[in-house]
Amino acid sequence: QVHLEESGGGWVQAGGSLRLSCAASGNIFSVNGMGWYRQAPGKLRELVATVNSGGAFDYADSAKGRFTISRLNAENTVYLQMNSLKPEDTAVYYCNAKGYSRVPIRPYDVWGQGTQVTVSS
């Protein structure tokens, strides 16, 4: 079983910054893609940013220029640095990881428990 542990959410005023962290652990053979998604009240979960094992990035338009995703492959950890936060960034942020488990070798696609980010105006 693969487990994701998230940290770093909280409350911040508009214009402030937060850094989210997510570490994958457990029965891991490989971690191919890692990323962050968010879900605001009454809305669907949406992509924020992803990074694959080769370092290719994908950002939502709302995140471009303000958020930076980075990854430490050796520790199966992904970070999301969020700057210039806006009230509309308020949401529960979820970490996601895709890859293959070790025993047995099979694909996984797992989610973290979510971390609340609240941006006040």
Side-chain angles (χ1 to χ4, degrees):
Q1 187 173 359
V2 177
H3 175 72
L4 300 181
E5 186 69 32
E6 300 160 337
S7 61
W11 177 90
V12 66
Q13 287 189 320
S17 298
L18 284 174
R19 187 183 191 227
L20 306 182
S21 300
C22 173
S25 63
N27 184 23
I28 295 173
F29 176 76
S30 67
V31 183
N32 298 338
M34 298 189 79
W36 291 94
Y37 295 74
R38 68 186 183 187
Q39 187 167 16
K43 294 188 176 182
L44 296 175
R45 190 173 297 186
E46 63 179 9
L47 167 75
V48 177
T50 62
V51 57
N52 66 20
S53 56
F57 303 99
D58 186 25
Y59 288 94
D61 288 343
S62 60
K64 290 177 182 176
R66 300 187 300 127
F67 295 1
T68 303
I69 191 169
S70 60
R71 178 172 171 171
L72 192 60
N73 287 334
E75 296 184 1
N76 294 327
T77 300
V78 66
Y79 305 94
L80 184 68
Q81 178 66 43
M82 303 186 292
N83 299 327
S84 302
L85 282 161
K86 306 174 182 179
E88 51 264 44
D89 294 318
T90 295
V92 178
Y93 284 68
Y94 295 91
C95 179
N96 174 259
K98 299 178 178 65
Y100 284 86
S101 59
R102 182 175 295 278
V103 181
I105 297 179
R106 64 183 176 189
Y108 64 82
D109 183 346
V110 296
W111 294 87
Q113 79 282 1
T115 184
Q116 177 70 45
V117 170
T118 302
V119 185
S120 65
S121 57

